[in-house]
Amino acid sequence: MTGILPNKPRIEDDRTGIDIDTLKRAFLDNLFYIQAKFPKVSTKNDYYMALAYTVRDRLLNRWLHTNQTYLERAPRIVAYLSAEFLMGPHLGNNLIDLGLYEPVKQAIAELGLDLNELLEQEEEPGLGNGGLGRLAACYIDSLATLEIPSVAYGIRYEYGIFDQEIKDGWQVEVTDRWLRYGNPWEVVRPESELMVKFGGHTETFIDEYGVYRVQWVPYKVVKGVPYDTPILGFKTNTANTLRLWKAEAPESFDFAVFNQGDYFGAVHQKSESENITKVLYPNDETYQGKQLRLEQQYFFVSCSLQDMIRLAKMQGVALERFHEHFAIQLNDTHPTIAIAELMRLLLDEHGFDWDRAWDITTKTFAYTNHTLLPEALERWSVAMLGGLLPRHLELIYEINSRFLDEVRIKFFEDPDRIARMSIIDESGERYVRMAHLACVGSYAINGVAELHSRLLKQTVLHDFYEMYPEKFVNVTNGVTPRRFIALSNPRLTSLITSKIGDGWLKNLGELRKLESLVDDAGFRNDFYQVKQAVKQDLADYVRANHGVEINPESIYDIQAKRIHEYKRQHLNALYIITLYNRLKANPSLDIAPRTFLFGGKAAPGYYMAKLIVKLINSIADVTNSDPDVGDRIKVVFLTDYNVKFAQRVYPAANLSEQISTAGKEASGTGNMKFSMNGALTIGTLDGANVEIREAVGAENFFLFGMTAEEVLAKKAEGYNPWDYYHGNDELKGVLDRIASGFFSHGDTELFKPLLDSLLYQDIFMVLADYQSYVECQERVDGAFRDRDNWTRMSILNAARMGHFSSDRSIRDYLSQIWKAPAVKIDVPEYSQSNG
Ligand code: TH1
């Protein structure tokens, strides 16, 4: 194949060379010519930007050749549609993927700078809430690493997830201006803009062939502008694309209003259009029927499908073969309007008949469900959806009517089933149920862990399972070891590599080779020393940022995830108070010293979650200064938990808290990141915990609590939290301690809503699992005192987590759902001579 770059550039070209001197020269050149600074007046951010451009130059070669190869060879492409991508900082990850971490570190050091300080400068693109958005980021990393042609489509929010501050113990939200200093990793492609219609009405007409057709006459049109970010594979030539859409007002539309002299109207219309991609909705696992959210979803979906059709055309792929060319994965129901949109494009814009269009559509889409929580299931009022997308509502009605005919025939005379399965909920005000549309319009439906996939089939999607059993599969989530081991934990990475070579980063199963080293006292000591060094780093961070002294010899007991009642951060809090009460009753009590660390954001409108944050901080105020407690308990709420910070947190943990009510956490992925870094888990049989426990061995996992079945049974028999309050003196003592105002300067009202919810409803069965949790924590306490055995268990956790690499998840998606082969990318060698 011919190269697209000049045939014979110099071997150590300033934009591609990787020897130390070239890297230094390129860095200084970028500082001068891009940042327009010289060292004397440069800020750390200038240095970060100069380095970012230096690294970007070195990946462009792979990116452009990957794009060219896809264009020429028209391979099958996986298109991953997600409203969230929680990428984390790019610089460090790209250095790892390019294999340039060490040379760049040295070059930067030779310039008198510190690579870690420059890495710290990067403001992460927080374009997601939590696990779902981060999963999307891990998956595109693995797709590129496995050399699968793929494109990821999403929204370029101007404001990502808010920054969290803590004031007087309460969470305060601060807008995330992540684009403030510019974004060196993206390339805007204004020439590839597309138009998206909203509102208005539909008209019917008879076309030139005498065929009945529908035309959508919109109320407004919004322009979508793509911003592309390269997504490198680990040590491969493949660099795929993350294409995020920004909404703008179309110029021509402004002019129409301008010409009528309505200057303010035109400006208003412009800002209204741009509002669509202004801000990420900060709700994790909750659904609100906000019109702007539906506008966001439709906007990015329409842009993406039009883009794919355009690409297919450029590659000479006929639209009849769209489903052969693209496998489109719907990351939860957020992009599900794509099913109606592809139908609209095929029918109205490309003249297909219904049966052909439906056949293509249902061979194109696959749907991942990420939650069973009813409050997260998306449904749009028919009135709103019809107002915004009148043509799509017509199409959804038609899809539904044909679908219900099938149900009627398959399940003869079962009207309840028809009502239950209908895409339209007609039980009160009418709603479009997006999960139902996703099931009807997709050829595959998957849950994200074995338990979750089973519960899906038994509960929320039971009727669909009976209708289409062949569509249902499981793909257990995974996480990328490049970011969550290599980049986050360089000490552990070098230790592992020194023992088993570096193949494990691409083939995580190789970590098993560490198992035989568990009997090697020298290795155990090295492993222990790595953990201690990382714990010391976190202690330094906590001292500098929170003014609290924590002891690296103590158990680092960490719960880091979004704050949610089902995740039960308050169960953890109740245990802390239990220990506190015991210490007050018996000041000489012998316990293993513990540092309880929490991190996570609460949705701004989720009052109970915010009250939990306040409770944790209030407990910290008491325990951290009570001389009776001394060094035995410290509690720290780590502010503004995000991907960048998570990279410091996972490696430092001894104990990972995965304590959701069984049946509520679909998978969890933090559980995997902790365990890979040698933390032991205290957890329920929920989500992927079940599979993690099987993988690492029951003896290396602290299990407590009811099973999903027991939770359901207890609910059915009539759960009464008061029984637990009256039946357990220690639990009563804990709840009474909060109620007395002890943690709230005597205010007995402050935490009352939380106590009332526990005592009068407790839908997540915190009180029912309390005793089992406390006893399990006592086993943890005992186990930690045996340092050597704890280290053994810790090593076995790290060694047995190979299954939870996102590479394995992507292989599962490929074999069960996408069936897209890998494509090797050739990057032509540079010639020595410059002739
Ligand atoms: C999460 C699930 O809660 C978590 O268990 C899972 O590991 C993760 O997805 C990845 O599969 C979800 N996040 C969201 C966010 C929204 C709506 C639903 C879910 S489920 C906005």
Side-chain angles (χ1 to χ4, degrees):
M1 193 182 32
T2 54
I4 47 175
L5 292 174
N7 269 341
K8 293 171 177 173
R10 274 179 300 121
I11 179 85
E12 289 291 1
D13 184 288
D14 272 10
R15 293 203 153 166
T16 56
I18 57 168
D19 72 71
I20 305 295
D21 285 337
T22 309
L23 287 170
K24 284 158 68 178
R25 202 167 57 242
F27 173 83
L28 293 171
D29 193 73
N30 283 332
L31 186 67
F32 193 90
Y33 285 102
I34 295 183
Q35 285 308 101
K37 291 280 187 84
F38 48 87
K40 214 177 162 130
V41 295
S42 295
T43 62
K44 265 185 202 147
N45 192 60
D46 291 324
Y47 288 130
Y48 158 71
M49 292 292 274
L51 180 56
Y53 282 108
T54 306
V55 173
R56 198 184 95 163
D57 284 342
R58 280 152 184 78
L59 62 78
L60 277 176
N61 205 18
R62 299 179 190 204
W63 197 20
L64 299 189
H65 279 97
T66 303
N67 287 338
Q68 186 192 271
T69 306
Y70 293 170
L71 200 61
E72 285 174 357
R73 289 207 235 154
R76 181 164 166 80
I77 292 176
V78 175
Y80 199 86
L81 263 59
S82 180
E84 304 189 9
F85 286 94
L86 194 46
M87 298 302 296
H90 289 290
L91 176 56
N93 201 247
N94 285 338
L95 286 174
I96 300 259
D97 286 343
L98 291 167
L100 288 181
Y101 200 97
E102 287 308 322
V104 162
K105 188 173 175 180
Q106 188 186 334
I108 291 298
E110 288 183 16
L111 291 166
L113 298 166
D114 175 8
L115 177 59
N116 282 326
E117 278 186 22
L118 304 195
L119 291 171
E120 258 318 295
Q121 282 302 305
E122 184 171 352
E123 179 116 34
E124 73 175 70
L127 309 186
N129 273 289
L132 174 137
R134 183 54 233 178
L135 187 78
C138 285
Y139 281 2
I140 62 181
D141 172 293
S142 286
L143 278 162
T145 298
L146 296 175
E147 304 178 306
I148 304 302
S150 67
V151 54
Y153 285 113
I155 300 172
R156 184 178 177 275
Y157 301 105
E158 186 175 335
Y159 299 99
I161 187 71
F162 62 86
D163 293 337
Q164 180 191 57
E165 292 180 0
I166 300 293
K167 297 229 162 88
D168 187 30
W170 294 97
Q171 168 177 296
V172 174
E173 299 91 24
V174 178
T175 51
D176 161 54
R177 296 168 55 208
W178 72 286
L179 290 164
R180 194 169 18 183
Y181 299 116
N183 173 6
W185 303 106
E186 68 184 5
V187 180
V188 58
R189 309 281 190 198
E191 72 280 11
S192 299
E193 68 182 34
L194 289 164
M195 296 300 164
V196 179
K197 301 184 232 184
F198 288 97
H201 63 276
T202 61
E203 291 172 359
T204 56
F205 66 100
I206 307 289
D207 73 8
E208 53 199 302
Y209 307 104
V211 179
Y212 175 90
R213 303 273 303 268
V214 180
Q215 190 190 356
W216 176 13
V217 183
Y219 161 74
K220 69 169 177 186
V221 176
V222 175
K223 184 165 84 180
V225 181
Y227 285 71
D228 290 352
T229 301
I231 304 298
L232 297 178
F234 176 65
K235 296 186 177 171
T236 70
N237 288 332
T238 300
N240 286 327
T241 297
L242 168 63
R243 175 162 276 198
L244 302 179
W245 299 96
K246 175 179 195 277
E248 289 184 10
E251 292 78 3
S252 56
F253 218 60
D254 287 351
F255 281 128
V257 187
F258 265 121
N259 291 342
Q260 293 158 27
D262 185 5
Y263 176 74
F264 285 97
V267 173
H268 176 69
Q269 211 162 60
K270 183 169 160 65
S271 60
E272 261 210 338
S273 300
E274 302 200 333
N275 269 343
I276 292 180
T277 54
K278 220 14 112 188
V279 60
L280 167 79
Y281 279 94
N283 306 309
D284 193 69
E285 293 259 15
T286 48
Y287 156 77
Q288 294 173 297
K290 289 281 194 299
Q291 171 155 334
L292 184 60
R293 168 100 172 161
L294 181 57
E295 291 179 31
Q296 292 183 334
Q297 296 181 351
Y298 178 63
F299 167 76
F300 99 88
V301 156
S302 179
C303 289
S304 308
L305 285 173
Q306 291 184 62
D307 198 44
M308 285 182 247
I309 290 176
R310 176 169 63 189
L311 180 68
K313 212 170 252 169
M314 274 197 310
Q315 295 173 317
V317 175
L319 220 43
E320 284 75 19
R321 295 184 42 230
F322 186 82
H323 58 289
E324 294 169 23
H325 196 47
F326 290 107
I328 304 183
Q329 193 66 31
L330 302 172
N331 197 25
D332 212 275
T333 53
H334 316 146
T336 293
I337 195 67
I339 290 167
E341 174 68 354
L342 183 58
M343 285 299 286
R344 185 189 72 81
L345 290 166
L346 293 175
L347 292 169
D348 299 352
E349 314 236 319
H350 297 276
F352 282 63
D353 65 37
W354 184 279
D355 289 338
R356 196 67 207 111
W358 186 244
D359 185 57
I360 293 170
T361 299
T362 51
K363 286 176 174 162
T364 298
F365 292 103
Y367 158 56
T368 305
N369 173 290
H370 294 265
T371 182
L372 303 164
L373 293 191
E375 61 266 37
L377 299 181
E378 288 191 301
R379 33 182 228 141
W380 299 104
S381 91
V382 162
M384 188 207 290
L385 197 143
L388 200 64
L389 305 170
R391 178 59 177 143
H392 298 77
L393 185 60
E394 292 174 3
L395 292 167
I396 289 169
Y397 276 139
E398 182 64 24
I399 292 168
N400 195 38
S401 137
R402 290 167 185 251
F403 164 64
L404 293 181
D405 283 347
E406 279 181 53
V407 178
R408 225 169 262 120
I409 287 165
K410 178 147 183 173
F411 301 97
F412 196 56
E413 291 184 347
D414 190 350
D416 286 353
R417 186 184 294 262
I418 300 278
R420 287 199 310 266
M421 294 186 78
S422 174
I423 297 173
I424 310 295
D425 177 353
E426 314 218 34
S427 55
E429 196 201 337
R430 292 155 81 213
Y431 288 96
V432 181
R433 297 158 161 162
M434 298 311 275
H436 293 207
L437 178 59
C439 288
V440 175
S442 300
Y443 68 90
I445 302 165
N446 78 283
V448 290
E450 278 168 15
L451 173 66
H452 170 65
S453 294
R454 179 157 62 75
L455 292 173
L456 259 187
K457 294 192 277 189
Q458 286 170 2
T459 62
V460 285
L461 299 182
H462 179 68
D463 289 325
F464 289 91
Y465 177 58
E466 289 193 332
M467 179 89 190
Y468 309 118
E470 70 289 349
K471 288 191 186 186
F472 284 75
V473 293
N474 171 249
V475 181
T476 298
N477 283 170
V479 303
T480 172
R482 273 73 67 180
R483 183 175 293 273
F484 292 105
I485 306 179
L487 181 59
S488 305
N489 202 343
R491 291 188 185 88
L492 182 62
T493 302
S494 3
L495 175 61
I496 295 173
T497 300
S498 73
K499 297 292 175 189
I500 65 170
D502 65 2
W504 59 278
L505 276 169
K506 246 194 184 155
N507 181 10
L508 205 62
E510 290 183 19
L511 285 178
R512 266 202 186 275
K513 296 181 194 161
L514 295 174
E515 269 187 44
S516 60
L517 294 166
V518 81
D519 292 321
D520 171 343
F523 179 71
R524 285 202 305 276
N525 185 53
D526 291 347
F527 195 91
Y528 173 81
Q529 296 302 341
V530 163
K531 183 63 89 178
Q532 287 312 110
V534 178
K535 287 172 76 178
Q536 182 62 55
D537 286 352
L538 189 61
D540 295 343
Y541 176 93
V542 169
R543 185 188 314 108
N545 292 276
H546 295 271
V548 180
E549 198 64 49
I550 64 174
N551 174 10
E553 303 289 324
S554 66
I555 307 176
Y556 280 19
D557 175 339
I558 311 188
Q559 188 167 16
K561 51 182 78 241
R562 288 295 291 253
I563 312 294
H564 208 299
E565 286 164 284
Y566 86 81
K567 297 179 189 279
R568 302 199 293 193
Q569 280 91 357
H570 46 342
L571 175 57
N572 190 342
L574 296 187
Y575 177 64
I576 303 174
I577 300 173
T578 304
L579 276 185
Y580 180 73
N581 282 349
R582 288 181 185 176
L583 286 171
K584 293 305 274 187
N586 175 9
S588 61
L589 187 71
D590 180 28
I591 62 167
R594 262 205 220 222
T595 304
F596 293 93
L597 299 161
F598 293 84
K601 294 173 185 177
Y606 186 174
Y607 176 70
M608 209 58 89
K610 290 181 139 178
L611 196 55
I612 291 172
V613 172
K614 173 67 175 168
L615 175 64
I616 292 165
N617 281 308
S618 303
I619 295 169
D621 284 345
V622 170
T623 55
N624 295 0
S625 60
D626 185 334
D628 284 347
V629 173
D631 271 350
R632 286 173 292 178
I633 300 180
K634 285 277 188 292
V635 181
V636 181
F637 189 92
L638 301 162
T639 309
D640 201 32
Y641 184 70
N642 57 12
V643 176
K644 189 187 197 174
F645 188 47
Q647 291 172 195
R648 291 178 180 272
V649 169
Y650 295 121
N654 296 117
L655 189 66
S656 155
E657 297 271 352
Q658 307 300 337
I659 62 177
S660 52
T661 315
K664 301 295 178 188
E665 188 72 271
S667 164
T669 43
N671 46 4
M672 303 168 188
K673 297 162 195 169
F674 277 112
S675 183
M676 278 179 191
N677 282 282
L680 304 196
T681 302
I682 181 165
T684 47
L685 282 179
D686 200 15
N689 294 354
V690 178
E691 291 153 81
I692 291 173
R693 178 167 171 268
E694 280 165 13
V696 303
E699 66 285 8
N700 302 306
F701 186 108
F702 295 96
L703 178 68
F704 77 97
M706 290 181 286
T707 63
E709 283 70 24
E710 287 165 348
V711 167
L712 291 175
K714 186 159 288 292
K715 194 145 287 176
E717 80 189 30
Y719 169 56
N720 184 3
W722 285 105
D723 296 345
Y724 291 87
Y725 175 84
H726 291 300
N728 185 329
D729 285 345
E730 195 160 41
L731 172 59
K732 180 171 182 301
V734 168
L735 296 172
D736 290 350
R737 172 85 65 204
I738 301 173
S740 74
F742 185 83
F743 298 107
S744 42
H745 309 284
D747 182 348
T748 54
E749 290 299 306
L750 182 60
F751 296 118
K752 197 161 184 299
L754 189 55
L755 292 168
D756 284 351
S757 108
L758 289 177
L759 288 166
Y760 291 94
Q761 289 126 53
D762 196 17
I763 50 175
F764 299 111
M765 303 208 174
V766 173
L767 304 198
D769 272 345
Y770 168 84
Q771 188 59 33
S772 168
Y773 181 58
V774 169
E775 285 166 14
C776 192
Q777 286 287 24
E778 280 160 12
R779 297 203 296 277
V780 170
D781 181 292
F784 193 75
R785 292 158 189 253
D786 183 347
R787 177 205 278 191
D788 200 45
N789 192 51
W790 184 280
T791 301
R792 280 173 185 271
M793 294 195 288
S794 172
I795 293 169
L796 290 177
N797 264 261
R800 294 173 176 175
M801 285 298 289
H803 184 65
F804 301 93
S805 166
S806 45
D807 298 347
R808 188 272 311 150
S809 306
I810 290 301
R811 282 197 193 92
D812 286 353
Y813 276 100
L814 285 166
S815 65
Q816 300 187 83
I817 302 176
W818 300 330
K819 322 246 184 230
V823 171
K824 278 253 175 280
I825 306 298
D826 295 316
V827 174
E829 287 292 321
Y830 289 122
S831 158
Q832 283 277 175
S833 67
N834 204 15

